[in-house]
Amino acid sequence: MNGELLTYLMLLLNMLQIVKKIQKCKIFSFYNFYFLRIIERVAPRLSHTNAGVVLSATKVIMKFLDYLNNPDLIKTMSRKLTQPLITLLSCETEI
């Protein structure tokens, strides 16, 4: 299933060069919806006990925030990232 979804997402990206403006808007809306779902699924991992999981979740969320166009959501998610990042900075290294 995940391979099929990735293929579909790449197909939509390739189609951006040839479709009309309104179709491009629909593709961008789809990606906005998709990225929002990824963020919603990853956000609970910000409170995980493993620092690696928290760091990886933070990186995913920060990457996908660039693609969202809702300023309120970006602000909310940025606030949610604050505490896990502070906790990561204050923890001992695990080398």
Side-chain angles (χ1 to χ4, degrees):
M1 177 75 176
N2 289 338
E4 292 174 12
L5 181 59
L6 183 59
T7 302
Y8 182 68
L9 293 173
M10 293 306 293
L11 178 66
L12 284 176
L13 279 178
N14 291 333
M15 289 176 61
L16 283 174
Q17 299 172 8
I18 57 173
V19 298
K20 296 180 181 178
K21 292 176 188 173
I22 190 72
Q23 294 164 325
K24 287 180 185 183
C25 292
K26 289 185 183 277
I27 290 172
F28 290 141
S29 294
F30 171 76
Y31 273 103
N32 195 35
F33 174 80
Y34 182 72
F35 293 143
L36 179 60
R37 295 299 164 264
I38 291 174
I39 289 172
E40 288 174 348
R41 289 268 177 115
V42 172
R45 281 32 175 215
L46 292 172
S47 60
H48 200 276
T49 56
N50 185 305
V53 173
V54 174
L55 184 59
S56 295
T58 302
K59 289 185 339 187
V60 168
I61 291 172
M62 289 178 71
K63 177 71 91 176
F64 286 122
L65 282 180
D66 291 339
Y67 299 105
L68 296 179
N69 58 8
N70 183 342
D72 294 331
L73 178 64
I74 293 171
K75 186 183 287 187
T76 301
M77 288 310 300
S78 297
R79 286 185 185 140
K80 284 186 179 182
L81 288 173
T82 305
Q83 188 59 41
L85 290 174
I86 291 171
T87 303
L88 285 174
L89 288 172
S90 64
C91 291
E92 288 186 30
T93 58
E94 297 179 11
I95 298 176

